Amino acid sequence: MENNNITFAERLKHARENLRKLSQSQLAEQSLLPISSIAHFESGDRKPSFDNIKKLSKALNVTTDYLLGQTDNPDASSNDGKSQIAFRDFNNLSNYDQQIAADFIKMLANKDKN
């Protein structure tokens, strides 16, 4: 799990600095998050909620999948939005149900690989 946090921190910083040429302050303003949160997310000290990941991806115009390390393509415009829709209500689920949903998606993604 910690590896995912490092991936997220690295992806967030890369998208902010290299893809969008924004300062932490500018990203904070565009995402409506405190600048201290941006700094904590980029350092890996804090893990963002899914709601905050969505705010950051929207402000950076990258997919949540890119920020989470699920794809190497940051281009939000190439995403048909299905992954965003699939997880729209994810935080409304219990921890148990979130795990079931995550396991189910992983199973579907791997079904043709076996």
Side-chain angles (χ1 to χ4, degrees):
M1 185 67 94
E2 183 135 352
N3 238 358
N4 291 339
N5 192 41
I6 292 170
T7 299
F8 175 80
E10 291 171 348
R11 293 282 178 109
L12 177 63
K13 187 172 184 176
H14 178 265
R16 178 182 61 77
E17 290 180 341
N18 298 26
L19 299 177
R20 304 300 174 234
K21 311 285 189 227
L22 297 173
S23 66
Q24 286 184 343
S25 174
Q26 290 169 316
L27 178 56
E29 185 177 312
Q30 290 184 19
S31 64
L32 303 176
L33 294 170
I35 189 171
S36 60
S37 292
I38 305 296
H40 287 298
F41 296 153
E42 286 187 2
S43 68
D45 291 338
R46 280 186 39 205
K47 296 179 183 180
S49 67
F50 192 72
D51 187 50
N52 286 344
I53 293 171
K54 289 190 300 186
K55 289 178 182 179
L56 291 165
S57 72
K58 184 176 180 180
L60 291 166
N61 194 31
V62 298
T63 64
T64 56
D65 284 348
Y66 173 77
L67 289 178
L68 294 171
Q70 301 299 310
T71 182
D72 290 331
N73 182 2
D75 189 6
S77 63
S78 70
N79 187 346
D80 61 10
K82 289 180 183 173
S83 63
Q84 303 283 345
I85 292 167
F87 284 102
R88 177 183 56 218
D89 297 319
F90 190 77
N91 282 338
N92 295 333
L93 301 174
S94 69
N95 287 340
Y96 178 77
D97 288 344
Q98 286 178 359
Q99 188 59 53
I100 290 172
D103 291 344
F104 183 71
I105 290 170
K106 184 181 269 186
M107 184 263 315
L108 288 174
N110 292 319
K111 76 176 184 172
D112 294 331
K113 294 179 183 176
N114 295 326

